[in-house]
Amino acid sequence: MTVVALHTQALVLPEAATYLDLLGRSLHAARLSNAFPERRPLQHSLETLAESLRLGLHGELYVDSRAGLPNLASLTRALTDKSVARESLARMGDRAALEARAGEAEVFARLAAKHGYYEKLQDRELAPVDHQRVLLRRHDPASGTAAFRIELTKLDASGVYVRLQIELTQVSSLWRRKVIDLDKDGETAAASEAFRAMVYRCADLDAEALFMRLHGAEGVSVERVQRGVIGPVLFAVPIGSGVQVARTAEAGDDALGREWHAWSVGAGAAEHERPELLAAFATDSAALDIRDERSNDPISPLLRDRLRDQEQARYRALRERYPFKVFKDRKFVATPGLKAVAHATCAAAGTKNMIYDLQYR
Protein backbone atom coordinates (compact mmCIF):
# COMPACT_ATOMS: atom_id res chain seq x y z
CA MET A 1 0.00 0.00 0.00
CA THR A 2 1.24 3.45 -0.93
CA VAL A 3 -0.21 6.83 -0.01
CA VAL A 4 -0.06 8.56 -3.40
CA ALA A 5 -2.05 11.79 -2.89
CA LEU A 6 -4.19 13.63 -0.36
CA HIS A 7 -6.54 11.10 1.27
CA THR A 8 -5.59 8.52 -1.37
CA GLN A 9 -3.85 5.19 -1.02
CA ALA A 10 -3.03 2.73 -3.78
CA LEU A 11 -3.44 -1.04 -3.68
CA VAL A 12 -1.98 -3.44 -6.23
CA LEU A 13 -2.54 -7.11 -6.92
CA PRO A 14 -2.98 -9.44 -5.15
CA GLU A 15 -3.91 -7.25 -2.15
CA ALA A 16 -6.35 -5.18 -4.23
CA ALA A 17 -8.24 -8.31 -5.32
CA THR A 18 -8.49 -9.51 -1.72
CA TYR A 19 -9.79 -6.13 -0.59
CA LEU A 20 -12.37 -5.91 -3.41
CA ASP A 21 -13.60 -9.43 -2.68
CA LEU A 22 -14.08 -8.67 1.02
CA LEU A 23 -15.81 -5.36 0.29
CA GLY A 24 -18.15 -6.91 -2.28
CA ARG A 25 -19.13 -9.71 0.08
CA SER A 26 -19.71 -7.24 2.91
CA LEU A 27 -22.31 -5.40 0.78
CA HIS A 28 -24.23 -8.64 0.33
CA ALA A 29 -23.92 -9.58 4.01
CA ALA A 30 -25.24 -6.17 5.13
CA ARG A 31 -28.79 -6.84 3.84
CA LEU A 32 -29.15 -3.30 2.57
CA SER A 33 -32.61 -1.76 2.33
CA ASN A 34 -33.68 0.81 -0.25
CA ALA A 35 -32.53 3.54 2.13
CA PHE A 36 -28.99 2.84 0.89
CA PRO A 37 -27.37 3.20 -2.51
CA GLU A 38 -28.29 0.25 -4.71
CA ARG A 39 -26.10 -2.74 -3.92
CA ARG A 40 -25.88 -4.45 -7.31
CA PRO A 41 -24.47 -1.50 -9.31
CA LEU A 42 -21.83 -0.94 -6.64
CA GLN A 43 -20.92 -4.63 -6.64
CA HIS A 44 -20.72 -4.52 -10.44
CA SER A 45 -18.29 -1.60 -10.16
CA LEU A 46 -16.13 -3.54 -7.70
CA GLU A 47 -16.13 -6.57 -10.01
CA THR A 48 -15.19 -4.35 -12.95
CA LEU A 49 -12.29 -2.82 -11.04
CA ALA A 50 -11.06 -6.28 -10.03
CA GLU A 51 -11.23 -7.56 -13.59
CA SER A 52 -9.43 -4.52 -15.02
CA LEU A 53 -6.59 -5.12 -12.56
CA ARG A 54 -6.46 -8.84 -13.35
CA LEU A 55 -6.23 -8.15 -17.08
CA GLY A 56 -3.53 -5.54 -16.57
CA LEU A 57 -5.66 -2.73 -18.00
CA HIS A 58 -4.94 -0.71 -14.87
CA GLY A 59 -2.07 -1.13 -12.47
CA GLU A 60 -3.43 0.25 -9.19
CA LEU A 61 -6.67 0.60 -7.28
CA TYR A 62 -7.13 3.96 -5.58
CA VAL A 63 -8.87 3.91 -2.21
CA ASP A 64 -9.99 6.85 -0.09
CA SER A 65 -7.72 6.58 2.93
CA ARG A 66 -10.40 8.02 5.29
CA ALA A 67 -13.49 6.10 4.18
CA GLY A 68 -11.77 2.90 3.01
CA LEU A 69 -13.82 2.80 -0.21
CA PRO A 70 -12.66 3.03 -3.84
CA ASN A 71 -12.30 6.72 -4.51
CA LEU A 72 -13.70 8.97 -7.23
CA ALA A 73 -10.86 8.19 -9.64
CA SER A 74 -11.43 4.43 -9.34
CA LEU A 75 -15.22 4.53 -9.73
CA THR A 76 -14.94 7.01 -12.59
CA ARG A 77 -12.41 4.75 -14.29
CA ALA A 78 -14.96 1.93 -14.41
CA LEU A 79 -17.65 4.30 -15.75
CA THR A 80 -15.24 5.59 -18.41
CA ASP A 81 -14.40 2.06 -19.56
CA LYS A 82 -18.12 1.35 -19.90
CA SER A 83 -18.69 4.54 -21.90
CA VAL A 84 -16.10 3.51 -24.51
CA ALA A 85 -16.95 -0.22 -24.53
CA ARG A 86 -19.13 -0.32 -27.68
CA GLU A 87 -16.80 1.90 -29.67
CA SER A 88 -13.79 -0.16 -28.59
CA LEU A 89 -15.47 -3.45 -29.51
CA ALA A 90 -16.31 -2.14 -32.97
CA ARG A 91 -12.71 -1.07 -33.47
CA MET A 92 -11.23 -4.35 -32.17
CA GLY A 93 -13.25 -6.59 -34.48
CA ASP A 94 -14.19 -10.20 -33.84
CA ARG A 95 -13.02 -11.84 -30.63
CA ALA A 96 -12.69 -15.28 -32.23
CA ALA A 97 -10.28 -13.83 -34.81
CA LEU A 98 -8.15 -12.34 -32.05
CA GLU A 99 -8.10 -15.63 -30.14
CA ALA A 100 -7.12 -17.47 -33.32
CA ARG A 101 -4.04 -15.26 -33.63
CA ALA A 102 -3.08 -15.51 -29.95
CA GLY A 103 -0.24 -17.87 -30.85
CA GLU A 104 1.32 -15.34 -33.21
CA ALA A 105 1.99 -12.68 -30.61
CA GLU A 106 1.11 -11.89 -27.01
CA VAL A 107 -0.65 -8.69 -28.07
CA PHE A 108 -3.48 -10.69 -29.68
CA ALA A 109 -4.06 -12.66 -26.47
CA ARG A 110 -4.25 -9.40 -24.53
CA LEU A 111 -6.65 -7.90 -27.06
CA ALA A 112 -8.88 -10.99 -26.86
CA ALA A 113 -9.00 -10.67 -23.07
CA LYS A 114 -9.74 -6.94 -23.34
CA HIS A 115 -12.49 -7.73 -25.85
CA GLY A 116 -14.11 -10.05 -23.29
CA TYR A 117 -13.85 -7.34 -20.65
CA TYR A 118 -15.67 -4.81 -22.82
CA GLU A 119 -18.30 -7.35 -23.83
CA LYS A 120 -19.25 -7.89 -20.20
CA LEU A 121 -19.01 -4.23 -19.35
CA GLN A 122 -21.22 -2.73 -22.07
CA ASP A 123 -24.44 -4.07 -20.54
CA ARG A 124 -23.39 -3.90 -16.88
CA GLU A 125 -25.04 -1.32 -14.61
CA LEU A 126 -22.36 0.47 -12.59
CA ALA A 127 -22.53 2.66 -9.51
CA PRO A 128 -22.98 6.36 -10.32
CA VAL A 129 -20.73 8.89 -8.62
CA ASP A 130 -23.38 11.62 -8.91
CA HIS A 131 -26.98 10.93 -9.91
CA GLN A 132 -30.02 13.00 -8.98
CA ARG A 133 -33.63 12.51 -10.02
CA VAL A 134 -37.05 13.90 -9.06
CA LEU A 135 -40.10 11.62 -8.80
CA LEU A 136 -43.67 12.86 -8.69
CA ARG A 137 -45.57 11.26 -5.77
CA ARG A 138 -48.92 12.98 -6.23
CA HIS A 139 -50.37 16.06 -7.91
CA ASP A 140 -53.60 17.98 -7.30
CA PRO A 141 -54.03 20.54 -10.11
CA ALA A 142 -57.08 22.07 -8.41
CA SER A 143 -55.12 23.17 -5.35
CA GLY A 144 -51.80 23.55 -7.13
CA THR A 145 -50.23 21.12 -4.68
CA ALA A 146 -47.60 18.62 -5.79
CA ALA A 147 -45.60 16.12 -3.73
CA PHE A 148 -42.20 14.91 -4.84
CA ARG A 149 -39.36 12.63 -3.84
CA ILE A 150 -35.86 13.75 -4.66
CA GLU A 151 -33.18 11.07 -4.80
CA LEU A 152 -29.47 11.77 -4.90
CA THR A 153 -26.80 9.08 -5.02
CA LYS A 154 -23.23 10.30 -4.82
CA LEU A 155 -19.75 9.61 -3.64
CA ASP A 156 -19.46 12.16 -0.87
CA ALA A 157 -16.48 14.48 -0.49
CA SER A 158 -15.61 12.58 2.70
CA GLY A 159 -15.24 9.37 0.67
CA VAL A 160 -18.40 7.55 1.84
CA TYR A 161 -21.14 6.49 -0.60
CA VAL A 162 -24.49 8.16 0.11
CA ARG A 163 -28.10 7.90 -0.96
CA LEU A 164 -30.18 10.92 0.00
CA GLN A 165 -33.98 10.89 -0.27
CA ILE A 166 -36.15 13.95 0.34
CA GLU A 167 -39.93 13.94 0.37
CA LEU A 168 -41.54 17.36 0.10
CA THR A 169 -44.67 19.17 -1.01
CA GLN A 170 -44.89 22.52 -2.74
CA VAL A 171 -47.97 24.70 -3.26
CA SER A 172 -48.02 26.79 -6.42
CA SER A 173 -49.89 29.69 -4.77
CA LEU A 174 -46.92 30.22 -2.45
CA TRP A 175 -44.29 30.24 -5.22
CA ARG A 176 -42.38 33.15 -6.45
CA ARG A 177 -39.77 30.78 -7.84
CA LYS A 178 -40.59 27.12 -8.27
CA VAL A 179 -38.10 24.73 -6.74
CA ILE A 180 -39.53 21.89 -8.87
CA ASP A 181 -41.19 22.22 -12.28
CA LEU A 182 -43.85 19.92 -13.73
CA ASP A 183 -44.30 19.47 -17.46
CA LYS A 184 -47.54 20.67 -19.04
CA ASP A 185 -49.13 17.22 -18.56
CA GLY A 186 -48.29 17.22 -14.85
CA GLU A 187 -46.46 13.91 -15.18
CA THR A 188 -42.75 14.66 -15.27
CA ALA A 189 -40.86 16.65 -12.65
CA ALA A 190 -37.50 18.37 -12.65
CA ALA A 191 -35.83 20.40 -9.93
CA SER A 192 -34.67 23.90 -10.71
CA GLU A 193 -30.94 24.32 -11.13
CA ALA A 194 -30.74 26.42 -7.97
CA PHE A 195 -32.57 23.82 -5.91
CA ARG A 196 -30.54 20.94 -7.39
CA ALA A 197 -27.37 22.80 -6.52
CA MET A 198 -28.54 23.44 -2.94
CA VAL A 199 -29.42 19.74 -2.43
CA TYR A 200 -26.06 18.72 -3.85
CA ARG A 201 -24.11 21.18 -1.70
CA CYS A 202 -25.96 20.14 1.46
CA ALA A 203 -25.88 16.38 0.87
CA ASP A 204 -23.08 15.95 3.40
CA LEU A 205 -25.22 17.45 6.19
CA ASP A 206 -27.00 15.07 8.54
CA ALA A 207 -30.74 14.59 8.04
CA GLU A 208 -31.69 16.97 10.86
CA ALA A 209 -29.67 19.91 9.56
CA LEU A 210 -30.76 19.29 5.99
CA PHE A 211 -34.45 19.11 6.97
CA MET A 212 -34.25 22.55 8.59
CA ARG A 213 -32.27 23.97 5.68
CA LEU A 214 -34.78 22.79 3.06
CA HIS A 215 -37.87 23.53 5.12
CA GLY A 216 -37.02 27.18 4.93
CA ALA A 217 -37.27 27.21 1.12
CA GLU A 218 -40.16 29.32 -0.14
CA GLY A 219 -43.37 27.40 -0.85
CA VAL A 220 -41.90 24.07 0.29
CA SER A 221 -42.99 21.78 3.11
CA VAL A 222 -40.55 18.99 3.88
CA GLU A 223 -41.93 15.71 5.19
CA ARG A 224 -38.90 13.45 5.30
CA VAL A 225 -35.15 13.55 4.80
CA GLN A 226 -33.34 10.22 4.83
CA ARG A 227 -29.69 9.37 4.31
CA GLY A 228 -28.25 5.91 3.79
CA VAL A 229 -24.45 5.80 4.04
CA ILE A 230 -22.02 3.06 3.04
CA GLY A 231 -18.78 3.52 4.93
CA PRO A 232 -16.43 3.94 6.55
CA VAL A 233 -14.67 0.67 5.81
CA LEU A 234 -11.68 -0.48 7.82
CA PHE A 235 -9.43 -3.13 6.32
CA ALA A 236 -6.14 -4.91 6.95
CA VAL A 237 -4.78 -7.01 4.09
CA PRO A 238 -1.45 -8.89 4.32
CA ILE A 239 1.09 -7.91 1.68
CA GLY A 240 3.13 -10.59 -0.06
CA SER A 241 4.48 -13.08 2.46
CA GLY A 242 2.60 -11.33 5.27
CA VAL A 243 5.48 -9.34 6.77
CA GLN A 244 3.56 -6.12 6.09
CA VAL A 245 -0.14 -5.28 6.13
CA ALA A 246 -2.07 -2.74 4.04
CA ARG A 247 -4.54 -0.93 6.30
CA THR A 248 -7.06 1.87 6.10
CA ALA A 249 -4.63 4.75 6.46
CA GLU A 250 -6.71 7.58 7.92
CA ALA A 251 -9.50 6.18 10.08
CA GLY A 252 -11.63 8.86 11.72
CA ASP A 253 -11.15 10.27 15.20
CA ASP A 254 -14.45 8.89 16.49
CA ALA A 255 -15.38 5.91 18.65
CA LEU A 256 -14.95 3.46 15.77
CA GLY A 257 -11.66 4.99 14.69
CA ARG A 258 -10.28 4.89 18.22
CA GLU A 259 -11.19 1.21 18.63
CA TRP A 260 -9.61 0.51 15.26
CA HIS A 261 -6.37 2.23 16.24
CA ALA A 262 -6.32 0.30 19.52
CA TRP A 263 -6.78 -2.97 17.60
CA SER A 264 -4.09 -2.00 15.07
CA VAL A 265 -1.43 -1.58 17.75
CA GLY A 266 -2.78 -4.47 19.87
CA ALA A 267 -4.26 -7.70 18.54
CA GLY A 268 -4.10 -6.49 14.94
CA ALA A 269 -0.39 -5.76 15.11
CA ALA A 270 0.36 -9.48 15.33
CA GLU A 271 -2.05 -10.48 12.54
CA HIS A 272 -0.13 -10.87 9.28
CA GLU A 273 -1.86 -13.84 7.66
CA ARG A 274 -5.61 -13.29 7.44
CA PRO A 275 -7.29 -10.34 5.71
CA GLU A 276 -9.72 -8.42 7.90
CA LEU A 277 -12.49 -5.98 7.06
CA LEU A 278 -15.14 -4.06 9.00
CA ALA A 279 -17.76 -2.08 7.08
CA ALA A 280 -20.28 0.34 8.59
CA PHE A 281 -23.73 1.12 7.16
CA ALA A 282 -25.67 4.04 8.62
CA THR A 283 -29.20 5.39 8.24
CA ASP A 284 -30.16 8.85 9.38
CA SER A 285 -33.75 10.11 9.12
CA ALA A 286 -35.60 13.30 10.03
CA ALA A 287 -39.34 13.05 9.44
CA LEU A 288 -42.75 14.13 10.59
CA ASP A 289 -43.91 10.55 11.20
CA ILE A 290 -41.07 9.41 13.50
CA ARG A 291 -42.52 8.84 16.97
CA ASP A 292 -39.47 8.70 19.22
CA GLU A 293 -36.30 10.69 18.71
CA ARG A 294 -33.10 8.80 19.43
CA SER A 295 -29.78 7.69 18.02
CA ASN A 296 -28.75 4.07 17.89
CA ASP A 297 -25.61 5.08 16.02
CA PRO A 298 -22.52 4.62 18.23
CA ILE A 299 -20.48 7.14 16.26
CA SER A 300 -23.14 9.77 15.50
CA PRO A 301 -25.17 10.98 18.51
CA LEU A 302 -28.10 13.36 18.16
CA LEU A 303 -27.22 17.00 17.56
CA ARG A 304 -28.78 18.06 20.87
CA ASP A 305 -26.36 15.77 22.70
CA ARG A 306 -23.37 17.38 21.01
CA LEU A 307 -24.20 21.02 21.70
CA ARG A 308 -22.66 23.11 24.44
CA ASP A 309 -24.93 24.56 27.13
CA GLN A 310 -24.93 28.05 25.62
CA GLU A 311 -26.15 26.62 22.30
CA GLN A 312 -29.01 24.57 23.73
CA ALA A 313 -31.55 27.42 24.06
CA ARG A 314 -31.12 28.52 20.46
CA TYR A 315 -31.36 24.92 19.30
CA ARG A 316 -34.60 24.32 21.22
CA ALA A 317 -36.13 27.49 19.77
CA LEU A 318 -35.15 26.40 16.29
CA ARG A 319 -36.56 22.91 16.71
CA GLU A 320 -39.90 24.26 17.95
CA ARG A 321 -40.42 25.67 14.47
CA TYR A 322 -40.04 22.25 12.86
CA PRO A 323 -42.27 19.41 14.17
CA PHE A 324 -40.05 16.53 13.00
CA LYS A 325 -38.08 13.93 14.94
CA VAL A 326 -34.79 12.21 14.22
CA PHE A 327 -33.75 8.57 14.24
CA LYS A 328 -30.25 7.27 13.56
CA ASP A 329 -29.02 3.72 13.30
CA ARG A 330 -25.91 1.87 12.17
CA LYS A 331 -25.06 -1.73 11.44
CA PHE A 332 -21.75 -3.43 10.80
CA VAL A 333 -20.30 -6.30 8.81
CA ALA A 334 -17.04 -7.71 10.16
CA THR A 335 -14.62 -10.57 9.70
CA PRO A 336 -14.00 -12.61 12.90
CA GLY A 337 -10.85 -10.70 13.76
CA LEU A 338 -12.60 -7.32 13.75
CA LYS A 339 -15.91 -8.20 15.39
CA ALA A 340 -14.43 -7.20 18.73
CA VAL A 341 -13.83 -3.68 17.35
CA ALA A 342 -17.50 -3.36 16.36
CA HIS A 343 -18.69 -4.74 19.73
CA ALA A 344 -16.39 -2.39 21.68
CA THR A 345 -17.59 0.62 19.66
CA CYS A 346 -21.23 -0.17 20.41
CA ALA A 347 -20.55 -0.94 24.08
CA ALA A 348 -18.79 2.39 24.58
CA ALA A 349 -21.84 4.25 23.26
CA GLY A 350 -24.39 2.01 24.97
CA THR A 351 -26.08 1.13 21.66
CA LYS A 352 -27.34 -2.23 20.44
CA ASN A 353 -26.49 -2.73 16.79
CA MET A 354 -26.63 -5.50 14.23
CA ILE A 355 -23.19 -6.97 13.54
CA TYR A 356 -23.19 -9.40 10.62
CA ASP A 357 -20.50 -12.01 10.06
CA LEU A 358 -18.13 -11.88 7.10
CA GLN A 359 -16.35 -15.21 6.90
CA TYR A 360 -12.81 -15.82 5.70
CA ARG A 361 -12.46 -17.60 2.38
Side-chain angles (χ1 to χ4, degrees):
M1 177 202 71
T2 305
V3 176
V4 295
L6 181 67
H7 304 316
T8 303
Q9 57 192 105
L11 296 175
V12 298
L13 293 177
E15 296 80 37
T18 300
Y19 158 79
L20 288 169
D21 173 67
L22 284 170
L23 181 56
R25 290 194 292 119
S26 76
L27 296 177
H28 192 273
R31 300 166 174 81
L32 298 179
S33 69
N34 61 8
F36 293 92
E38 291 186 62
R39 174 181 62 84
R40 290 187 184 278
L42 184 52
Q43 284 194 306
H44 290 164
S45 290
L46 301 181
E47 292 164 3
T48 297
L49 291 171
E51 191 166 359
S52 71
L53 290 168
R54 181 179 62 82
L55 294 175
L57 304 181
H58 304 291
E60 296 177 313
L61 173 72
Y62 298 116
V63 176
D64 189 288
S65 53
R66 301 160 298 170
L69 289 170
N71 73 355
L72 180 62
S74 289
L75 293 179
T76 302
R77 174 193 293 170
L79 291 167
T80 301
D81 283 352
K82 176 181 169 64
S83 71
V84 302
R86 294 189 188 280
E87 179 183 341
S88 298
L89 287 170
R91 190 170 58 248
M92 294 168 72
D94 184 62
R95 183 180 179 182
L98 294 171
E99 291 174 337
R101 301 186 65 182
E104 298 178 22
E106 184 181 348
V107 64
F108 292 110
R110 291 202 303 269
L111 284 172
K114 193 172 184 178
H115 193 289
Y117 169 75
Y118 282 133
E119 278 185 324
K120 293 179 184 176
L121 188 53
Q122 63 180 338
D123 297 318
R124 184 177 281 177
E125 183 183 6
L126 302 182
V129 295
D130 176 13
H131 176 65
Q132 185 176 151
R133 63 177 184 166
V134 180
L135 305 173
L136 178 64
R137 295 161 54 215
R138 60 184 180 272
H139 178 216
D140 182 3
S143 66
T145 301
F148 305 94
R149 181 169 69 250
I150 301 171
E151 297 180 353
L152 171 64
T153 301
K154 64 172 290 192
L155 188 67
D156 190 74
S158 64
V160 296
Y161 198 47
V162 179
R163 186 182 193 194
L164 172 64
Q165 298 179 77
I166 304 165
E167 294 182 0
L168 56 83
T169 300
Q170 66 178 11
V171 181
S172 59
S173 62
L174 301 178
W175 297 339
R176 278 189 299 184
R177 287 192 305 270
K178 298 179 182 179
V179 298
I180 298 177
D181 285 310
L182 283 171
D183 66 6
K184 63 181 180 180
D185 297 320
E187 295 178 352
T188 304
S192 68
E193 285 301 317
F195 193 72
R196 284 171 60 92
M198 182 172 70
V199 170
Y200 189 86
R201 286 196 310 271
C202 299
D204 60 335
L205 298 176
D206 63 17
E208 180 177 5
L210 185 53
F211 191 108
M212 290 188 286
R213 181 71 175 269
L214 296 176
H215 207 69
E218 183 181 40
V220 169
S221 174
V222 181
E223 299 158 30
R224 172 178 293 272
V225 173
Q226 179 172 276
R227 301 174 77 244
V229 182
I230 298 176
V233 174
L234 306 173
F235 64 88
V237 179
I239 298 175
S241 60
V243 177
Q244 294 180 303
V245 177
R247 305 182 192 273
T248 304
E250 297 180 73
D253 185 24
D254 52 27
L256 179 61
R258 289 189 290 273
E259 293 295 340
W260 162 256
H261 288 301
W263 178 86
S264 297
V265 299
E271 180 57 77
H272 297 294
E273 298 179 1
R274 295 178 302 186
E276 304 283 0
L277 183 138
L278 188 159
F281 304 87
T283 54
D284 175 17
S285 300
L288 302 179
D289 59 359
I290 294 176
R291 295 181 59 185
D292 299 312
E293 181 159 290
R294 71 187 186 95
S295 175
N296 192 50
D297 187 336
I299 62 177
S300 182
L302 294 172
L303 178 57
R304 71 185 185 201
D305 298 329
R306 289 178 276 153
L307 295 176
R308 292 172 294 185
D309 291 343
Q310 57 267 38
E311 298 171 324
Q312 288 287 348
R314 181 173 178 272
Y315 171 76
R316 286 193 297 269
L318 191 62
R319 280 296 302 271
E320 287 174 0
R321 296 168 52 193
Y322 305 105
F324 67 87
K325 288 186 169 61
V326 178
F327 180 73
K328 297 185 176 190
D329 197 10
R330 190 177 296 265
K331 55 186 175 181
F332 302 90
V333 174
T335 50
L338 283 177
K339 285 191 74 174
V341 171
H343 282 297
T345 301
C346 299
T351 58
K352 295 183 179 180
N353 304 81
M354 294 297 301
I355 303 173
Y356 297 110
D357 291 329
L358 181 60
Q359 298 299 327
Y360 301 124
R361 282 199 186 276

